[in-house]
Structure formats: structure tokens, C-alpha cells
Amino acid sequence: MLSYSGRLQLIKSVLFVIQTYWAQVFLLPKKIMKMIETICRTFLWTGSNAISRKALIAWDKICQPKTTGGLNIINMRVWNKAAIIKQLWALAMKKDALWIKWTHSYYIKNKDIAEINTSRTTAWVIRKIIEAKKEVIHMNSMHGSVISTLADLVKQGRFQIQKAYVQLMPQLPKVSWKSIHLHTQIHPRFELHLWLAIHQRIATVDRLLEFGIQVPPYCVLCRYYGNIGPFEEIAWISSIAKGKNGKAEITTAAFAMVVYCIWRERNSIRFQKGRYMVDEHARR
């Protein structure tokens, strides 16, 4: 019975919290990570626990920050890599733990952890931790040795998984409509549907242009402002959303609500063979 925004909040506050906790305790295999991701993706789009391939937007896009067009959901695979790097840091610093002492005496044997190589006989968990140094080397904004890079991820003696996660995530350009997505006056339910509408509109227009098809100017503003195309509409409301005065905030919130009402009416026509009454919505 939850809306898209309600399911999104449940995923962020409950399901991913459980996953991120266990990712710091155990190394989760890729198959397990994929299963968890599939369950969360299915629940977001269908509200069911039955596995489905239905998805309106690609999951990798959803896991991006809001400024780059995503919903800022934690990418579990990347977070798991960051958690493994934390174990690598503990191993490199020779923390006072039994498994670390055993690993140093049995595998590392006073060798530099940045140069040591693993073999097939190495335990799976230890091999994954040592091989995590490849991820450290390929971090975009950090340079230097493995040890120095790991040291940059430490604050007040504690390894910052969140900082490692940010460094591992791809650095993508910010979207031009981020002012809408980050607007604080839009109701969460309206915000998510506006986000969906923008993504689907951009994807549809790009697809049509690939085939050389003329894009019709179907948008909310066409009725009032004439021949305004879909990209012009997004640019218009983005510029409005940057304003700090009351008029800008009301206009942005009203625009998001209009998009949501159109979505509701479309679903009513398609699935319930009905239509919402305009006068009733106006009174609300």
C-alpha cells in the first residue's frame, strides 16, 4: 500500500541499513549482493517481494547522488568494496585482532602489504581483502602509495567507509535540473514522480531523436505558452526552482503537484477506465 516515495524511504532507512551493517562484519559474495539488490529493486517498483524484472529507471542511475540525477540510494556493491577496504586498512595497520595476527603470521610474514600477491591456496576472505588494494590504487582523486591512500581515509583514528564509498563511486557531471531535485518545498511524493517524469521524458526524446523522429511539444506548459518543447520546459522550471522568493517556491511546488496529478489521471484512464474530476482537484 506504500507509494513510490514510501517504498524508497523504507529501502533507505531499513533494508540498506541492515545490509550495510552486515557488510562491515562479513564479506558478502557478489551473488548475495545481487540477490539483495534485486529484492530492493523489485520492492521499489512493484511493492512486492516476488522477483520481477520491471524497472522504470536503471538501478545504477537510482544509486547516483541527487545532483547527478539519482535518488542517492547506497550502491551495495560499491559499499561492500569500501567495507573490504576498511578490513585492508586494519590489516595494514596491524590492528589488535586475532584474525589480523593470524594473517600476518601465516600469509604476509613481514612483507609489504602493497606488494604481496595472493595465490589460489589463500583463504577466500583473506584473498578478497588483499586484492582490495587494486580498488585503492584506482581511486580517482587520490595519489600515492596504498598505505598513504588508506591513511587519507582515516579521521581521528577511525576508517571512514563513507569517504571511501564516495571515492569509489563514478564521478559524473551534475544534471542541469538538480535545482528541482534538491528543492525543499516539494512534497516527497510529488518530487519522486517529477523525477520519474523528467527521466522518462529525456529518455523518450533521446530515443526518438536517434531514429530521426520529430519530437512533438507535449508538455504541461504548451497549453499556456505555445510551442514549448520538453527540454525547454525542464529548463524553465529549473530556473524557477533556483529562486528563493515565495513565488518561486509556490510555482515549483505547484508544478510538481500538476505532474503528479497528470500521472494519477493517466493511471486511472489506463487501469481503471476512469478520469479524475478537475473541479474536485481544484478544490483540494
mmCIF file of all heavy atoms in Angstrom, residues 16 80 101 140 185 248 278:
data_model
loop_
_atom_site.group_PDB
_atom_site.id
_atom_site.type_symbol
_atom_site.label_atom_id
_atom_site.label_comp_id
_atom_site.label_asym_id
_atom_site.label_seq_id
_atom_site.Cartn_x
_atom_site.Cartn_y
_atom_site.Cartn_z
ATOM 1 N N PHE A 16 18.592 -1.127 3.614
ATOM 2 C CA PHE A 16 20.004 -0.874 3.347
ATOM 3 C C PHE A 16 20.813 -0.738 4.626
ATOM 4 O O PHE A 16 22.013 -1.016 4.635
ATOM 5 C CB PHE A 16 20.159 0.375 2.484
ATOM 6 C CG PHE A 16 20.013 0.089 1.016
ATOM 7 C CD1 PHE A 16 18.819 0.306 0.383
ATOM 8 C CD2 PHE A 16 21.066 -0.428 0.290
ATOM 9 C CE1 PHE A 16 18.662 0.033 -0.961
ATOM 10 C CE2 PHE A 16 20.923 -0.709 -1.060
ATOM 11 C CZ PHE A 16 19.720 -0.476 -1.688
ATOM 12 N N ASN A 80 30.112 -2.404 -0.349
ATOM 13 C CA ASN A 80 30.793 -3.608 0.106
ATOM 14 C C ASN A 80 32.292 -3.522 -0.181
ATOM 15 O O ASN A 80 33.110 -3.971 0.619
ATOM 16 C CB ASN A 80 30.191 -4.838 -0.586
ATOM 17 C CG ASN A 80 30.547 -6.131 0.122
ATOM 18 O OD1 ASN A 80 30.520 -6.201 1.346
ATOM 19 N ND2 ASN A 80 30.896 -7.146 -0.652
ATOM 20 N N LYS A 101 46.444 -10.945 13.367
ATOM 21 C CA LYS A 101 47.708 -11.555 13.784
ATOM 22 C C LYS A 101 47.943 -12.879 13.057
ATOM 23 O O LYS A 101 49.053 -13.182 12.635
ATOM 24 C CB LYS A 101 47.692 -11.779 15.306
ATOM 25 C CG LYS A 101 47.666 -10.485 16.106
ATOM 26 C CD LYS A 101 47.635 -10.785 17.598
ATOM 27 C CE LYS A 101 47.612 -9.481 18.402
ATOM 28 N NZ LYS A 101 47.565 -9.740 19.872
ATOM 29 N N ASN A 140 40.084 7.745 -8.022
ATOM 30 C CA ASN A 140 40.342 8.843 -8.956
ATOM 31 C C ASN A 140 41.081 10.016 -8.335
ATOM 32 O O ASN A 140 42.062 10.508 -8.893
ATOM 33 C CB ASN A 140 39.014 9.335 -9.554
ATOM 34 C CG ASN A 140 38.353 8.271 -10.405
ATOM 35 O OD1 ASN A 140 39.018 7.465 -11.029
ATOM 36 N ND2 ASN A 140 37.035 8.281 -10.438
ATOM 37 N N GLN A 185 10.753 22.445 -0.871
ATOM 38 C CA GLN A 185 9.324 22.711 -0.685
ATOM 39 C C GLN A 185 8.427 21.721 -1.429
ATOM 40 O O GLN A 185 7.209 21.801 -1.317
ATOM 41 C CB GLN A 185 9.005 24.146 -1.131
ATOM 42 C CG GLN A 185 9.732 25.216 -0.360
ATOM 43 C CD GLN A 185 9.448 25.153 1.141
ATOM 44 O OE1 GLN A 185 8.327 24.886 1.560
ATOM 45 N NE2 GLN A 185 10.475 25.391 1.938
ATOM 46 N N ALA A 248 8.619 31.772 -6.384
ATOM 47 C CA ALA A 248 9.375 30.671 -6.981
ATOM 48 C C ALA A 248 9.078 29.354 -6.284
ATOM 49 O O ALA A 248 8.923 28.309 -6.927
ATOM 50 C CB ALA A 248 10.869 30.977 -6.927
ATOM 51 N N VAL A 278 -11.688 17.512 -12.600
ATOM 52 C CA VAL A 278 -10.847 18.693 -12.478
ATOM 53 C C VAL A 278 -11.298 19.578 -11.322
ATOM 54 O O VAL A 278 -10.492 20.071 -10.528
ATOM 55 C CB VAL A 278 -10.827 19.490 -13.799
ATOM 56 C CG1 VAL A 278 -10.011 20.763 -13.646
ATOM 57 C CG2 VAL A 278 -10.302 18.635 -14.929
#
